[in-house]
Amino acid sequence: MGYDAYSILKTGRDHHGHFLPLNEQAFNDYRRPLLTYSLIPLIEVLGLRVSTVRLGAALWGISDLVAITALAGLMLGWPGAAAAAVFAAVSPWDMSFSRVAVQGGSAAATVSIATLFFWRWRKGRRGIWLYLSAFVFGLSLYSYTVADLFTPLFLAFLALLYWREFRDSASQSLRAAALFVLLAIPLAASFVMYPAQLNAHFNELSLLTTTSCAGCTITPLSVRLATSAAGLAGYFTPSFLFVHGDLWDHWTLMHVPGFGQLLPEQAPLIALALFALVVGTRRKTAVFLLGWTVLATLPAAVIHPLGAAWAEPGKVRPTAWTLFDPSTATLPVTPWLVFSHPDSRHAVLAMVPWILLSALGFVTLLELTSSRRALSITLCAALAAGTLFHAARFIRSYFIDYPVIAAPYFQYGLEQVMEHLGPPGHPAQRVAITPRGSEPYIYVLFFEHYPPERFQTERVILIRKKPGGVAALPVLSFDRYVFIPPDSAYRGMEHGTFVFSGADPTPVPPTISIRYPDGTIAYNIVSK
């Protein structure tokens, strides 16, 4: 995303050559471009760096935190705002998406901001807030593909739950609806024009689609529905929410292992929020937040979770792809496997309502104990102590343990490899880089600040795929770089530089070894 932002800044086109894309071509899918476009001014000012790209993600996370706090304040008063701010600031779920440049952070922030504007409209019925809400809901469609299903369902849910307010402000409601539709038209048109390309990856990952290839076994509808139902249930388990969290896969490890997506102290507060469904004066608020949570989880329930892809028998956390042996036997996809591997990225839009439900539970606790001050103080002190303990434990693990564990999943070492390769020399001095990992060519483009106009116009060799395959074809070669197994390149090339994965043997002692933070070898560089 950082290099595409750089490419659009320099040429008006992404690195594949598409002019100001509405659907950004990635490696094996098409993605929404909101995060990429938001990085452009930062890269213009600060340059193309990892820190610049992650700053863009952090700004979306900060915006989300502000919106969550303000929304909780409008809904629940200042005690609810304080609780929401604390749980959002130290959330294992939210912090991860606010520090890594993935689409989920911008998606959660746009929905939070749009909902805040909607709630502000309900308080004063000023049309400007409803129009702003419709505009940002429209932007959410360009943030992450899960919003394609969530946003229309969520808007329908709001219309059903608050139909009286919409009826009493019919002219404002119609204008807001027209604005949202107007923003959605370009995206809808792209699906009409390019249905095969834009739907291909979803068809591969969807738990509801049936196999259509010749000779393939077609999964019965009942099995597909049962698998999706199991997937939906998995997102509401204590294991996912409070204990183990997202188990992830060979390519990504975005969360600290051993922590749930939420803090343990949020569990009793969420139970109290559900208690508010039957007692007290906040039933409609509880219905709103619970409905938001369920609707935000529905898109994830119909998508094959990343953690269940290439699941290794007997492995809680899959081996990083750079160390993984593809010949390892994997587990068959079953309802139980999908149930036990919920995917926090696909369910990222549920992150905010879980936080707000926790805030509602805190306010409910205060209301239930308002006549017994000593009990209220004791419970709040115990809650604060537990939150502080678990938050401090998580933050310590995130900044000390996690960088060491996660390094192979983030392909740590390729930046250092590029530093050792030095500036481009004569084109005849080829560089063979191991294809282990996820699309290593993009790291070369990024860290070398490779001129986008040059990449778009020069001869780039792609790996062939069968017709009808998804989005991008992996890059096999460009300029002086070739991305093939370096052992075969070493045997076939008279001269060159060869970058081996640390998991692979080298034909001769390496010239330079790049090590992971734990001291193990990430990459070996051999020259001849």
Side-chain angles (χ1 to χ4, degrees), residues 98-390:
S98 297
R99 292 182 56 81
V100 180
V102 293
Q103 298 166 300
S106 60
T110 51
V111 172
S112 298
I113 294 168
T115 307
L116 169 63
F117 289 152
F118 168 76
W119 213 268
R120 186 67 185 83
W121 170 75
R122 287 191 64 243
K123 294 293 184 179
R125 302 298 177 85
R126 291 185 60 192
I128 184 63
W129 296 112
L130 188 60
Y131 305 147
L132 285 172
S133 177
F135 177 78
V136 182
F137 271 126
L139 282 184
S140 74
L141 297 175
Y142 296 88
S143 65
Y144 194 18
T145 51
V146 296
D148 291 352
L149 177 60
F150 167 78
T151 299
L153 289 177
F154 189 53
L155 292 178
F157 175 64
L158 292 179
L160 180 64
L161 194 61
Y162 300 105
W163 65 272
R164 288 189 178 88
E165 288 94 326
F166 285 113
R167 181 196 61 189
D168 295 341
S169 304
S171 59
Q172 293 180 3
S173 303
L174 290 175
R175 293 190 194 101
L179 177 59
F180 174 79
V181 171
L182 187 64
L183 287 169
I185 286 175
L187 189 60
S190 68
F191 273 90
V192 173
M193 295 171 64
Y194 310 104
Q197 296 93 320
L198 297 183
N199 289 318
H201 194 53
F202 174 77
N203 291 335
E204 285 189 347
L205 294 180
S206 174
L207 294 172
L208 294 178
T209 54
T210 182
T211 302
S212 59
C213 62
C216 292
T217 302
I218 297 178
T219 305
L221 177 61
S222 59
V223 174
R224 285 179 272 140
L225 291 175
T227 304
S228 296
L232 178 64
Y235 288 94
F236 294 90
T237 61
S239 174
F240 173 69
L241 293 174
F242 309 111
V243 183
H244 299 298
D246 192 330
L247 302 180
W248 287 93
D249 60 13
H250 302 296
W251 294 270
T252 45
L253 185 72
M254 285 191 56
H255 301 289
V256 184
F259 290 86
Q261 301 303 125
L262 309 174
L263 297 179
E265 287 67 31
Q266 292 178 255
L269 295 180
I270 291 171
L272 281 173
L274 298 180
F275 183 66
L277 287 169
V278 294
V279 298
T281 60
R282 302 184 186 276
R283 295 179 183 176
K284 198 166 187 177
T285 301
V287 170
F288 166 69
L289 294 177
L290 184 61
W292 184 353
T293 306
V294 173
L295 292 177
T297 309
L298 281 178
V302 300
I303 302 174
H304 196 293
L306 295 178
W310 296 84
E312 293 178 78
K315 282 282 222 174
V316 175
R317 184 174 70 248
T319 305
W321 183 255
T322 54
L323 308 173
F324 177 61
D325 179 3
S327 65
T328 301
T330 58
L331 299 175
V333 176
T334 62
W336 171 253
L337 185 65
V338 173
F339 172 81
S340 58
H341 286 78
D343 186 333
S344 65
R345 184 182 298 183
H346 295 159
V348 65
L349 296 180
M351 177 174 66
V352 173
W354 281 123
I355 293 171
L356 293 174
L357 279 170
S358 304
L360 173 58
F362 179 70
V363 172
T364 303
L365 174 65
L366 295 180
E367 292 175 347
L368 292 176
T369 59
S370 59
S371 60
R372 304 177 66 179
R373 184 173 179 80
L375 177 62
S376 179
I377 293 175
T378 300
L379 292 176
C380 288
L383 182 66
T387 300
L388 179 62
F389 172 78
H390 285 108

Side-chain angles (χ1 to χ4, degrees), residues 485-518:
D487 55 343
S488 62
Y490 185 87
R491 293 191 301 268
M493 294 166 57
E494 184 177 355
H495 300 287
T497 301
F498 309 88
V499 181
F500 290 78
S501 166
D504 296 326
T506 59
V508 295
T511 308
I512 298 168
S513 292
I514 309 296
R515 296 183 179 274
Y516 290 123
D518 66 359

